[in-house]
C-alpha cells in the first residue's frame, strides 16, 4: 500500500507532500517534498491508494446558503438576540468542525471566516483537476482522499501536539518526531528524518500519510448516518480510532 499525506497551503511555499510505502516488514517514508506545486500534489494523489489532505474539502452548507441569499438580497434575519456568537458560529463552522471540537477540545480553523479559506480555494481547484483525470473525490472520505487534521491525530495518539510549528518551536517539533519514532518503531523516516525535524510542514505531511493509512484500514471516525449527506458537501475530518501501533502488523 502507498499512502500520501499533503500538508496543503494556499501557495507551494508552505505545502509539503509525504509518501509512505507499507510492507509486511514495516513502513518506509520513501519521499518528502516541500515547496510542492499543484502538479506534484495531483500526481502524488493519483498514485496513492489513500491520501490524507490537511485542508477543508468544503464550506459549511449554512454559510453557502447565507452567501447565496445575501447576494440575492433575501437574507432572513435571525430572531432577535440570536444574531450573535452562536449564530455566527453556525455559519463559520462545518458539522465536522463541531464534532472535532467536541471530541478533542480543538476548534479547527473556519474555512468561511479564517485565512484557511485561501487554502481551501486552492484545494477546490485540485479536487476539480483530480475529477477531470478520473479520480473524483468524495468529500465524506470514501474514495482516495480523506480530510485530516495532523495536530488532532497526534493528540489522539497521545503524542506532543501543541506549539510545534514555526522556527521558535523547533525543540517541540523534535519531540513530535521523537514521539512518532518511539510509538511506531516500524516507521523508517530514512533520509527524511532531518527534514521532518526542521520543517513542521514536512512532519505534518508524514502524519497526514499515517492518518490516511488509518483511514484505509477503517480505523478512523466517520459521519453518523444522519451526517453523511452534509459530509459529502462540507467535507469530513477523520480522526484515528486506534493506537498508532495498530497501523502496522
Amino acid at each position: 500500500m502507498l499512502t500520501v499525506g499533503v500538508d496543503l497551503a494556499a501557495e507551494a511555499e508552505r505545502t509539503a507532500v509525504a509518501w509512505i510505502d507499507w510492507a509486511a516488514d514495516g513502513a518506509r517514508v520513501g519521499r518528502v517534498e516541500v515547496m510542492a506545486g499543484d502538479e506534484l500534489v495531483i500526481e502524488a494523489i493519483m498514485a496513492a491508494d489513500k491520501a490524507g489532505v490537511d485542508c477543508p474539502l468544503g464550506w459549511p452548507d449554512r454559510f453557502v446558503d447565507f452567501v447565496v441569499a445575501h447576494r440575492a438580497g433575501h437574507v432572513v434575519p435571525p430572531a432577535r438576540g440570536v444574531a450573535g456568537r452562536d449564530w455566527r458560529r453556525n455559519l463559520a463552522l462545518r458539522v465536522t468542525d463541531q464534532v472535532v471540537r467536541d471530541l478533542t477540545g480543538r476548534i479547527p480553523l473556519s474555512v468561511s471566516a479564517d485565512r484557511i479559506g485561501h487554502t481551501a480555494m486552492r484545494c477546490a481547484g485540485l479536487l476539480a483537476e483530480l475529477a477531470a483525470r478520473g479520480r473524483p473525490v468524495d468529500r465524506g472520505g470514501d474514495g482516495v482522499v480523506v480530510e485530516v487534521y495532523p495536530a488532532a491525530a497526534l493528540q489522539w495518539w497521545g503524542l506532543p501536539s501543541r506549539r510545534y510549528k514555526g522556527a521558535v518551536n523547533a525543540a517541540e517539533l523534535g519531540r513530535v518526531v521523537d514521539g512518532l519514532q518511539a510509538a511506531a518503531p516500524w516507521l523508517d523516516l530514512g533520509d527524511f528524518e532531518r527534514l521532518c525535524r526542521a520543517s513542521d510542514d514536512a512532519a505534518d505531511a508524514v502524519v497526514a500519510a499515517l492518518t490516511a493509512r488509518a483511514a484505509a484500514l477503517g480505523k478512523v471516525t466517520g459521519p453518523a448516518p444522519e451526517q453523511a449527506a452534509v459530509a459529502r458537501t462540507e467535507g469530513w475530518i477523520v480522526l484515528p480510532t486506534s493506537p498508532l501501533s495498530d497501523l502496522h502488523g
Side-chain angles (χ1 to χ4, degrees), residues 126-153:
L126 294 171
L127 298 186
E129 182 61 22
L130 284 167
R133 299 192 190 188
R135 295 210 81 173
V137 170
D138 182 322
R139 296 177 215 163
D142 290 334
V144 65
V145 169
V146 288
E147 183 179 337
V148 301
Y149 187 175

Side-chain angles (χ1 to χ4, degrees), residues 81-175:
V82 179
R85 181 181 303 170
D86 292 339
W87 180 71
R88 294 193 306 272
R89 182 181 292 117
N90 282 331
L91 294 176
L93 296 181
R94 301 171 296 161
V95 171
T96 189
D97 298 328
Q98 298 182 60
V99 170
V100 168
R101 177 196 61 195
D102 293 343
L103 290 175
T104 70
R106 296 174 180 267
I107 302 178
L109 292 175
S110 167
V111 66
S112 54
D114 286 315
R115 292 185 65 185
I116 192 69
H118 290 269
T119 306
M121 293 174 193
R122 182 187 181 194
C123 186
L126 294 171
L127 298 186
E129 182 61 22
L130 284 167
R133 299 192 190 188
R135 295 210 81 173
V137 170
D138 182 322
R139 296 177 215 163
D142 290 334
V144 65
V145 169
V146 288
E147 183 179 337
V148 301
Y149 187 175
L154 289 169
Q155 177 182 330
W156 213 251
W157 285 324
L159 301 176
S161 63
R162 296 186 183 275
R163 298 182 179 87
Y164 66 88
K165 296 181 181 290
V168 297
N169 293 313
E172 190 62 19
L173 177 59
R175 283 189 280 273

